[in-house]
Amino acid sequence: MKKLLFIIAIGFFACNTPAEKKAETVKTEELVMYKSSEMALLMREMYIFNEKTKEKIIKNEELGEFPANFLNIHSAILTDPADRNSNFEAFSKGFITNQEAVFSASSKATKEQFNKMVNSCVACHKTTCIGPIPKIKKLLIP
Ligand code: HEC
């Protein structure tokens, strides 16, 4: 059951999954799993990590450290390698700078910096992968 939920989540997250295609995605579950690119896996990890970070900010807890493996955004293999153009590199750098700054911001500025980081996820997604944008926006701290 846990696995099935995971698969449904993938269908929900994927770049351009029209609603009517979601049911089909669930049927081909094993296939979907093997097809996930390095970048898709990294993105899911970044999403989950930032969901937890959001909770910590709201509860005023210690945030820990910037996860160094997020730097793999500069090298991870994409589903469509053509996506990695100069634009993509610029958005990656902007995102990394903003994500790092979440950990160095003063406690007063953390929430604002976190939301800035989330907006830099969205900015890149507008150019490459629009599907997950509504989901990503849910990370914003009101
Ligand atoms: C530099 C551009 C860029 C940035 C920055 C970026 N993304 Fe992505 N994201 C992509 C691309 C491109 C894909 C598709 C990856 C693939 O299929 O190989 C993707 C895929 C995803 C997916 C779908 C993964 C799946 O299951 O297929 C999620 C969720 C996601 N990103 C969330 C985020 C979050 C959260 C952030 C910020 C913390 C973020 N992204 C930052 C470009 C970006």
Side-chain angles (χ1 to χ4, degrees):
M1 189 59 197
K2 217 173 178 183
K3 194 172 166 198
L4 186 66
L5 282 175
F6 181 63
I7 305 300
I8 293 168
I10 294 169
F12 186 58
F13 277 154
C15 282
N16 285 307
T17 314
E20 64 272 19
K21 284 248 170 96
K22 274 179 197 160
E24 289 169 37
T25 311
V26 174
K27 263 189 249 160
T28 54
E29 49 183 271
E30 295 301 329
L31 206 66
V32 172
M33 276 194 89
Y34 292 120
K35 270 188 175 170
S36 293
S37 68
E38 274 178 28
M39 186 65 92
L41 294 172
L42 176 64
M43 289 285 162
R44 272 175 236 158
E45 190 184 336
M46 293 189 332
Y47 185 88
I48 291 166
F49 176 86
N50 279 307
E51 242 179 353
K52 288 181 190 147
T53 302
K54 174 183 179 176
E55 282 307 305
K56 287 182 187 169
I57 293 171
I58 290 169
K59 291 182 187 157
N60 226 341
E61 288 172 9
E62 200 59 49
L63 296 187
E65 283 178 19
F66 168 77
N69 70 313
F70 283 11
L71 295 172
N72 292 341
I73 195 171
H74 297 305
S75 59
I77 296 165
L78 287 145
T79 304
D80 180 2
D83 277 346
R84 190 182 290 288
N85 52 27
S86 58
N87 223 4
F88 186 91
E89 290 305 320
F91 278 118
S92 301
K93 278 190 191 149
F95 160 69
I96 291 294
T97 304
N98 280 324
Q99 178 82 70
E100 279 173 337
V102 169
F103 299 90
S104 55
S106 70
S107 56
K108 261 172 117 184
T110 307
K111 178 184 130 178
E112 197 185 327
Q113 181 55 43
F114 181 85
N115 284 342
K116 201 169 159 189
M117 178 278 297
V118 174
N119 284 325
S120 62
C121 305
V122 174
C124 183
H125 272 258
K126 279 185 178 159
T127 67
T128 49
C129 174
I130 55 173
I133 291 177
K135 188 82 190 161
I136 296 173
K137 282 188 172 166
K138 288 193 183 138
L139 290 173
L140 289 168
I141 304 174

